[in-house]
Amino acid sequence: MIDVAPVKVAFITGGAVGFGRGFARALAAQGWTVALADIDGEAAGRTATALKAEGLRSVALACDVADDDQVVAAVEEVVRRVGDVGILINNAGKHLTKYNQPFGQLTIEEIRSVFEVNILGIVRCSMACRESMRQRGGGSIVNISSIAGYQPVSPYGVSKLAVRGLTIALASEFSADNIRVNAVAPGLTATESAVADLPQSLVDEFTTRRQLVHRVGQVDDVVSAVLYLCSDAANFVTGETLKVSGGYPLAI
């Protein structure tokens, strides 16, 4: 009897564009089947089709991480169609300038929506994938935080501070199932949404006066960090948040 290696499956939220698309392409190139779960199902489908055209394995799913039932259904579908989840990247988030202003500038509903996606979305997806990861003998979860979580003066910043706390809590709770949980905190990075949202004057001030590395971060900078945390090279690393931010902010 010939042993057949199990399919390697990575579940990526917000997988249609930006960081999510970068994570998907990089993992697929390493032989993973990537499940692109995105609130915009059509965009996820287009990205999956583009990856397949490159000979990479991918599936697309419409999934709002703020909806309990959609998250459970999406994970169950992926497990049924391609196999147990080995990597979960909690990338979906609300992050534009709108949410990075004082609490008093937003309505309670707007604040609630940030926390539902950026915090509870991670809880929902991690819990939904846990049993699948346990069944395959373990796995790796990477949460996407932000350097805004190191100066939490807005709903967005507070949500990303919470991601760091969640990373520690879930690493502790999931360790019995051989599941590592880490986070990456990107700095100013040239994703499509950031380029469209931020004025050039702010970008220039940030990169030249605050960062030690005087350039805008690229998606590949963050992808490389996530690949490391997902890999066996990081099998002694859990509960950590890695800043990928050009040296800002520094901390002891």
Side-chain angles (χ1 to χ4, degrees):
M1 182 176 179
I2 300 175
D3 291 331
V4 178
V7 176
K8 301 190 299 181
V9 180
F11 191 97
I12 304 169
T13 68
V17 297
F19 286 140
R21 183 173 57 204
F23 303 147
R25 177 170 279 109
L27 285 168
Q30 292 186 351
W32 290 80
T33 296
V34 292
L36 311 178
D38 201 288
I39 194 170
D40 187 340
E42 292 184 359
R46 290 192 294 272
T47 297
T49 298
L51 293 176
K52 290 174 184 176
E54 299 174 24
L56 305 174
R57 294 192 297 270
S58 62
V59 296
L61 309 99
C63 178
D64 180 357
V65 301
D67 186 296
D68 297 354
D69 293 337
Q70 287 190 37
V71 169
V72 170
V75 173
E76 288 180 346
E77 181 178 351
V78 167
V79 171
R80 176 179 57 81
R81 289 174 59 183
V82 291
D84 288 320
V85 176
I87 289 174
L88 166 64
I89 302 179
N90 284 309
N91 170 65
K94 290 182 177 289
H95 58 86
L96 299 179
T97 300
K98 173 180 178 179
Y99 303 106
N100 202 16
Q101 56 183 322
F103 277 83
Q105 300 298 315
L106 299 177
T107 67
I108 291 297
E109 282 303 317
E110 288 170 332
I111 295 168
R112 181 178 290 112
S113 72
V114 174
F115 292 169
E116 280 285 353
V117 173
N118 292 10
I119 303 173
L120 293 178
I122 289 177
V123 176
R124 290 185 185 95
C125 294
S126 299
M127 293 299 179
C129 289
R130 182 181 187 179
E131 178 59 22
S132 177
M133 288 185 165
R134 189 186 70 80
Q135 289 289 343
R136 73 183 298 280
S140 175
I141 298 174
V142 179
N143 304 320
I144 304 304
S145 181
S146 169
I147 59 165
Y150 292 85
Q151 292 185 319
V153 295
S154 68
Y156 175 71
V158 169
S159 76
K160 292 304 185 178
L161 172 62
V163 170
R164 290 162 52 205
L166 270 177
T167 297
I168 294 170
L170 293 176
S172 177
E173 185 171 341
F174 287 16
S175 62
D177 295 325
N178 195 32
I179 299 169
R180 296 183 299 107
V181 185
N182 291 290
V184 169
L188 183 60
T189 308
T191 61
E192 299 102 310
S193 57
V195 169
D197 188 53
L198 297 174
Q200 188 60 44
S201 58
L202 186 150
V203 172
D204 292 343
E205 190 275 336
F206 206 95
T207 55
T208 59
R209 300 188 60 184
R210 302 192 199 186
Q211 293 178 187
L212 301 182
V213 180
H214 301 306
R215 67 170 174 84
V216 175
Q218 300 300 309
V219 170
D220 283 349
D221 296 321
V222 180
V223 169
S224 296
V226 169
L227 288 180
Y228 164 68
L229 291 173
C230 289
S231 74
D232 289 341
N235 63 15
F236 200 51
V237 180
T238 193
E240 299 293 339
T241 296
L242 173 60
K243 287 184 286 187
V244 183
S245 56
Y248 175 87
L250 296 175
I252 297 173

